[in-house]
């Protein structure tokens, strides 16, 4: 399966530069046993925009010894069904996608306490110009309903996420362990 850029998503020139540079995303392999949720994999190096002097860095997935793709998986933007029609979000809505990928990284690798992950999402949404109403609805959705996702993490799933997702200070390079 070949990754493809998300350039088909219109990113206005008014966005901060760091949010215009989106990662390549590999579509889900519907038969892969290691991706039962059918999420998309980050297929390029990508740094989230800086919040409080820190960035979440992703490295591309790769084929493992088992012949399967391994990497950091994202569902894009996921909020409860009841909120979707209110703000008309799809899994790849812009400008919300970048902040939501950063949020998925923070959650999956548990780079911060859960409440901090949610607050960083809200700050990133504000940075890209999402209205206060949309920003608050997205924040309240993950704050109220993200606990099930957070609680489902295991030490193994966190360690796997950290192989492909890392927190660094602005200007620092991630150190990936293989």
């Amino acid at each position: 399966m070949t990754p493809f850029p998300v350039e088909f998503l219109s990113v206005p020139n008014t966005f901060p530069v760091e949010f215009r540079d989106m990662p390549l995303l590999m579509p889900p392999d519907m038969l892969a046993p290691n991706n039962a949720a059918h999420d998309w994999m980050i297929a390029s190096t990508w740094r989230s925009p800086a919040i409080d002097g820190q960035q979440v860095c992703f490295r591309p997935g790769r084929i493992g010894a088992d012949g399967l793709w391994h990497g950091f998986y994202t569902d894009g933007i996921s909020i409860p069904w009841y909120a979707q029609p209110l703000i008309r979000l799809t899994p790849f809505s812009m400008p919300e996608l970048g902040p939501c990928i950063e949020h998925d990284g923070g959650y999956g690798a548990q780079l911060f306490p859960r409440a901090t992950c949610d607050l960083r999402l809200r700050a990133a949404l504000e940075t890209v110009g999402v209205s206060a109403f949309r920003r608050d609805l997205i924040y309240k959705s993950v704050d109220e309903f993200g606990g099930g996702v957070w609680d489902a993490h295991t030490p193994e799933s966190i360690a796997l996420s950290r192989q492909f997702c890392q927190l660094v200070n602005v200007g620092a390079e991630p150190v990936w362990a293989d």
Side-chain angles (χ1 to χ4, degrees), residues 3-50:
F4 67 93
V6 292
E7 277 114 15
F8 67 92
L9 302 167
S10 175
V11 182
N13 287 335
T14 57
F15 286 7
V17 171
E18 59 268 24
F19 274 100
R20 285 186 249 150
D21 179 25
M22 295 298 296
L24 294 176
L25 298 174
M26 182 178 290
D29 177 350
M30 303 306 261
L31 301 176
N34 63 332
N35 185 13
H38 307 300
D39 290 337
W40 293 63
M41 185 171 52
I42 304 293
S44 65
T45 301
W46 185 67
R47 288 174 178 258
S48 73

Side-chain angles (χ1 to χ4, degrees), residues 11 19 29 33 35-36 50-52 65-66 68 71 73 78 80 86 98 117 121 124 135 140 172 174:
V11 182
F19 274 100
D29 177 350
N35 185 13
I51 298 173
D52 294 333
D66 57 5
L68 299 172
Y73 290 92
S78 57
L86 294 173
C117 288
L121 172 62
R135 185 170 67 238
K140 287 176 184 172

Side-chain angles (χ1 to χ4, degrees), residues 4 8 14-15 21 28 36 38 56 84 87 138 143 146 158 167 171:
F4 67 93
F8 67 92
T14 57
F15 286 7
D21 179 25
H38 307 300
V56 176
Q84 293 171 3
I87 54 179
I138 293 167
D143 183 51
I158 294 166
L167 180 68

